[in-house]
Amino acid sequence: MGGSLAGKLENRRILITGAASGMGQAIAELFAAEGAGLALLDRNEAGITEIAATLKAHGFGCDVSARAMVMDVVAKAADALGGIDGIINAAGILDITPFAKLEPESFDRMLAVNLTGPFNIIHAALPFLQQAARATIVNIASVSGLMPMAGTAGYSASKAGLLMFTKCLGLDLGPNIRANSICPGVIKTEMTRYLWENQEHTERAAARVALNRLGVVEDVARATLFFSTEDSGFTTGAALPVDGGFSWR
Ligand SMILES: NC(=O)c1ccc[n+]([C@@H]2O[C@H](COP(=O)([O-])OP(=O)(O)OC[C@H]3O[C@@H](n4cnc5c(N)ncnc54)[C@H](O)[C@@H]3O)[C@@H](O)[C@H]2O)c1
């Protein structure tokens, strides 16, 4: 494509979950700018409808943990786009609570959204991905999937499961479908508002990493773009930290 002004995702049809906020939204904005056709899913129906209209994308209210709803919405998304070449699973939830106080229902919910959610989406989209020339899957995991942190037994287990799930997809679905994960560190989104609204917490989180700042959604969006194009054509099953150095220690 050297020298051409064409976007990196021209003619690619991509489905993104969790696109009404944070990383999912930033990925949708970058991918729209790179020429992708987009189906955007979120449980926040009003939010996703508004963002989809702005980006000239197809928006769908959908809870990724509800398998029957996912089957229905993914079929509608494939119909609207004329097929699916790529998936980004960005929808996720976080409950940081010491294990002794963690509600069983919250543990179940994190597994259902963060791990079974991506399964539901990929299971529903597989027939379309198999018809695509070179399909890609990117799952947004977390540094919490690489290392233990206090109060994250449920969240970390869901993300560690997502990392291994993604590796197994890479193995089972190659060579025509590649599957990779991203492990963000602390990124400034609604999910981490409790942290960055507090100056002291922000400074401590920044000081903890080599790059001395919190991440921004664009950091993750650009890594997601890499995994969704032939720029990463010989990479599958990888788990890329986008964390400023958080996961080294
Ligand atoms: N922010 C961070 O520091 C951080 C770090 C590591 C990993 N992550 C992961 O990155 C991903 C994106 O998080 P974010 O920080 O952008 O959060 P966010 O809260 O800004 O956005 C998450 C989006 O997912 C949607 N969502 C939640 N549950 C859903 C469901 N069941 N079905 C459909 N949509 C649902 C929400 O409505 C929201 O729009 C998540 O998987 C999160 O676990 C975040």
Side-chain angles (χ1 to χ4, degrees):
M1 215 182 272
S4 128
L5 289 176
K8 289 188 165 180
L9 296 172
E10 294 293 338
N11 302 319
R12 284 181 66 79
R13 300 151 298 178
I14 312 250
L15 183 153
I16 305 173
T17 75
S21 176
M23 295 178 211
Q25 182 181 346
I27 293 163
E29 288 167 357
L30 178 61
F31 280 28
E34 292 289 352
L38 295 176
L40 308 180
L41 278 57
D42 204 287
R43 72 174 170 194
N44 172 0
E45 190 162 358
I48 205 64
T49 303
E50 194 182 323
I51 286 161
T54 313
L55 298 178
K56 297 189 171 52
H58 303 278
F60 300 90
C62 181
D63 180 339
V64 297
S65 70
R67 188 165 293 149
M69 189 190 296
V70 168
M71 291 300 285
D72 181 51
V73 167
V74 169
K76 284 186 178 134
D79 195 43
L81 294 174
I84 302 177
D85 301 288
I87 300 285
I88 313 294
N89 280 303
I93 52 171
L94 165 70
D95 174 5
I96 303 181
T97 302
F99 181 73
K101 296 201 165 135
L102 180 66
E103 296 290 345
E105 294 72 21
S106 181
F107 180 88
D108 289 348
R109 186 80 192 133
M110 282 188 275
L111 270 289
V113 175
N114 298 353
L115 178 57
T116 309
F119 167 83
N120 290 341
I121 292 283
I122 293 162
H123 171 71
L126 190 59
F128 306 105
L129 297 174
Q130 285 171 329
Q131 281 165 31
R134 284 184 309 276
T136 52
I137 296 167
V138 186
N139 291 326
I140 308 298
S142 171
V143 289
S144 299
L146 299 170
M147 55 197 286
M149 273 177 273
T152 69
Y155 184 74
S156 294
S158 73
K159 295 299 191 177
L162 184 58
L163 291 177
M164 185 53 75
F165 174 61
T166 310
K167 286 179 195 289
C168 291
L169 289 179
L171 198 53
D172 279 359
L173 301 182
N176 291 330
I177 303 175
R178 297 185 296 108
N180 292 289
S181 313
I182 293 173
C183 297
V186 181
I187 311 290
K188 204 171 165 184
T189 68
E190 283 307 310
M191 189 177 276
T192 50
R193 177 178 286 280
Y194 70 95
L195 187 151
W196 53 260
E197 273 189 344
N198 179 315
Q199 181 72 13
E200 201 186 311
H201 290 178
T202 303
E203 282 167 16
R204 207 179 311 137
R208 193 187 183 290
V209 300
L211 299 186
N212 200 30
R213 66 170 173 88
L214 302 194
V216 291
V217 289
E218 292 77 11
D219 292 318
V220 176
R222 284 190 291 265
T224 307
L225 177 61
F226 170 68
F227 279 142
S228 300
T229 71
E230 278 300 293
D231 285 353
S232 60
F234 198 47
T235 304
T236 196
L240 178 70
V242 177
D243 68 350
F246 191 109
S247 55
W248 296 345
R249 46 205 170 112

